[in-house]
Amino acid sequence: MALDKATLDILARQEIEVPSWAYGNSGTRFKVFSTPGTPRTVQEKISDAARVHKHTGLAPIVALHYPWDKVDDFGELRSYAEDLGVSLGTINSNTFQDDVYKFGSLTHSDPKVRRQAIDHHLECIEVMNATGSRDLKIWLADGSNYPGQANIRARQDWLHESLSEIYAQLGADQRLVLEYKFFEPAFYHTDVPDWGTSYVQVQALGEKAMVCLDTGHHAPGTNIEFIVAQLLRLGKLGSFDFNSRFYADDDLIVGAADPFQLFRIMYEVVANGGMDEDTPVAFMLDQCHNIENKILGQIRSVLNVQEMSARALLVDRDALDAAQRDGDVLTANAIFMDAFYTDVRADLAEWRESRGLPTDPTKAYLESGYQEKIEADRVGGQQAGWGA
Ligand code: PSV
Ligand code: MN
């Protein structure tokens, strides 16, 4: 066995948060394919998410998007989720789909629009109070398309003012995580394009404000693990939005495009305390399953995160440290690569078995009859999509 008890104990406390929107239909601007069995309600999304947890033991938290997942009674929704063995997690705000936000939301030059966007976030905090959620995640589509279109500097000041108002309403155990993205939907400038801007803004707010790092939100070639190390060093890495990409913000299954990158990221997480018992880091997925089965796609995703976390935990850090100090480049690299190349799948299957979980979660799901049941039951109504 490559994984010793101490490593398995660390893995046992890893919790991955799955996004409600991963279970709805999604696609590109060219086509959204609908699939039989797709949830029509937030309850059905949560039910699907609970299956991912049931078969993997890794995903006990479901993140919601507001107002996509709006219900009359969030307290009731919380009980519904808890009855299925999962809890409600991050509330993702949405200031990118209303006409009023065409030129921005929290950074808009018009104070009335900023007011509306701030109020939306205050409503999200109300939702968090009812769901028991810790984190409010803010991702802004704000930016401009043409040089000269917007006052870039003033928008940073408005952003600070807006965020301060939201931050002031957080409860003692609540946090705000500010997500950055370098482009899209704005193509010239984006108001929170990079980790530095997010860091500057959250640092100005206080301890309960952190950075959210979405792995798909960087220019190709960016050394994301460096950002991870730096943010952990600064005590400001609040959460991940995991996914993978070949080209832009592809939102594909995490670890699918570049497992080695996921390993490198998880190594910096491990080495910098991000897997410690009191970790501030929420390990969230932010993915869409456009053409594959969504529940199986989520199962694959959480297993990929666990697998690369396990491999990262295998790095012999003492030996690596010695080689680094000696300037022994090749030995250092070999130690790192040894861990990456270690196949931990059989160990993790055994670990699952020891916890009463299926050795093969995919097979267990396929044999459970759940897919057939949702395909037969979920007829009529409006299938959930990315954005509803
Ligand atoms: C934006 O691309 C993003 O990554 C944000 O996290 C959103 O909340 C999410 O996608 C879903 O729209
Ligand atoms: Mn994201």
Side-chain angles (χ1 to χ4, degrees):
M1 232 210 184
L3 302 173
D4 60 17
K5 176 158 182 332
T7 308
L8 291 172
D9 286 347
I10 297 172
L11 288 171
R13 56 171 193 254
Q14 186 170 41
E15 294 186 335
I16 300 164
E17 197 170 332
V18 294
S20 67
W21 55 98
Y23 303 92
N25 289 324
S26 58
T28 65
R29 61 199 163 102
F30 300 101
K31 172 73 181 165
V32 174
F33 296 101
S34 64
T35 46
T38 295
R40 289 125 348 134
T41 62
V42 60
Q43 287 83 358
E44 289 179 352
K45 293 179 195 174
I46 292 170
S47 166
D48 289 4
R51 295 306 286 202
V52 175
H53 184 49
K54 178 181 162 66
H55 295 305
T56 63
L58 291 174
I61 313 169
V62 189
L64 302 180
H65 220 295
Y66 188 77
W68 294 348
D69 296 321
K70 191 170 184 171
V71 289
D72 290 339
D73 187 339
F74 276 99
E76 216 170 78
L77 192 69
R78 177 185 186 166
S79 309
Y80 173 84
E82 285 169 0
D83 287 347
L84 290 174
V86 293
S87 61
L88 299 178
T90 304
I91 300 299
N92 291 257
S93 66
N94 187 327
T95 56
F96 52 86
Q97 288 190 318
D98 293 338
D99 286 338
V100 69
Y101 298 132
K102 184 172 176 180
F103 298 128
S105 61
L106 295 178
T107 69
H108 200 288
S109 57
D110 182 345
K112 285 199 291 299
V113 179
R114 295 205 297 278
R115 180 76 260 149
Q116 185 170 331
I118 293 166
D119 287 343
H120 166 69
H121 287 89
L122 302 187
E123 206 176 312
C124 287
I125 294 175
E126 295 287 310
V127 173
M128 290 162 69
N129 294 338
T131 53
S133 302
R134 179 185 59 173
D135 292 347
L136 168 63
K137 185 165 84 183
I138 305 181
W139 169 73
L140 301 172
D142 299 22
S144 66
N145 274 1
Y146 294 98
Q149 180 193 323
N151 185 334
I152 292 173
R153 159 64 202 268
R155 288 166 74 97
Q156 284 301 305
D157 297 337
W158 291 323
L159 177 59
H160 172 67
E161 280 172 30
S162 301
L163 289 175
S164 300
E165 263 205 59
I166 298 163
Y167 184 81
Q169 296 308 316
L170 289 175
D173 297 325
Q174 292 173 339
R175 312 189 306 176
L176 177 164
V177 290
L178 181 61
E179 182 174 351
Y180 60 91
K181 177 172 176 176
F182 75 121
F183 89 114
E184 197 196 26
F187 294 117
Y188 167 56
H189 105 277
T190 294
D191 290 300
V192 189
D194 50 31
W195 74 268
T197 304
S198 177
Y199 175 75
V200 165
Q201 287 287 348
V202 298
Q203 178 68 13
L205 297 174
E207 263 183 12
K208 293 183 290 183
M210 316 273 281
V211 176
C212 169
L213 186 160
D214 183 313
T215 49
H217 289 187
H218 307 84
T222 301
N223 183 336
I224 297 174
E225 58 271 27
F226 173 83
I227 301 170
V228 171
Q230 180 71 291
L231 286 174
L232 281 167
R233 173 179 168 268
L234 296 165
K236 282 292 184 195
L237 182 61
S239 59
F240 279 104
D241 268 10
F242 277 130
N243 50 60
S244 69
R245 55 83 71 82
F246 288 99
Y247 299 102
D249 188 18
D250 303 351
D251 281 340
L252 298 172
I253 289 174
V254 57
D258 187 351
F260 184 38
Q261 181 189 59
L262 180 57
F263 167 80
R264 299 192 312 265
I265 289 172
M266 287 313 303
Y267 173 73
E268 291 305 331
V269 169
V270 168
N272 293 289
M275 294 253 317
D276 291 356
E277 216 147 354
D278 57 351
T279 180
V281 184
F283 298 92
M284 239 198 75
L285 306 181
D286 178 7
Q287 299 182 175
C288 294
H289 302 292
N290 299 354
I291 54 170
E292 66 274 30
N293 179 293
K294 299 166 205 320
I295 295 172
L296 289 174
Q298 288 284 289
I299 288 177
R300 175 77 58 86
S301 306
V302 299
L303 293 176
N304 284 353
V305 173
Q306 185 190 45
E307 210 176 308
M308 288 306 145
S309 303
R311 293 197 202 187
L313 285 160
L314 281 180
V315 174
D316 182 340
R317 281 165 51 204
D318 291 336
L320 183 64
D321 185 52
Q324 287 173 346
R325 284 173 196 276
D326 290 348
D328 190 345
V329 176
L330 293 179
T331 300
N333 179 245
I335 291 165
F336 204 73
M337 298 310 292
D338 270 351
F340 173 62
Y341 284 124
T342 306
D343 189 346
V344 293
R345 287 175 297 179
D347 287 11
L348 292 174
E350 216 176 284
W351 172 82
R352 272 191 293 278
E353 200 171 22
S354 74
R355 297 168 69 86
L357 292 161
T359 51
D360 183 343
T362 297
K363 190 160 165 273
Y365 175 72
L366 288 171
E367 288 172 355
S368 71
Y370 184 81
Q371 185 67 34
E372 290 78 1
K373 184 166 173 8
I374 59 175
E375 288 184 18
D377 289 354
R378 296 178 185 172
V379 177
Q382 171 83 30
Q383 292 192 333
W386 189 94

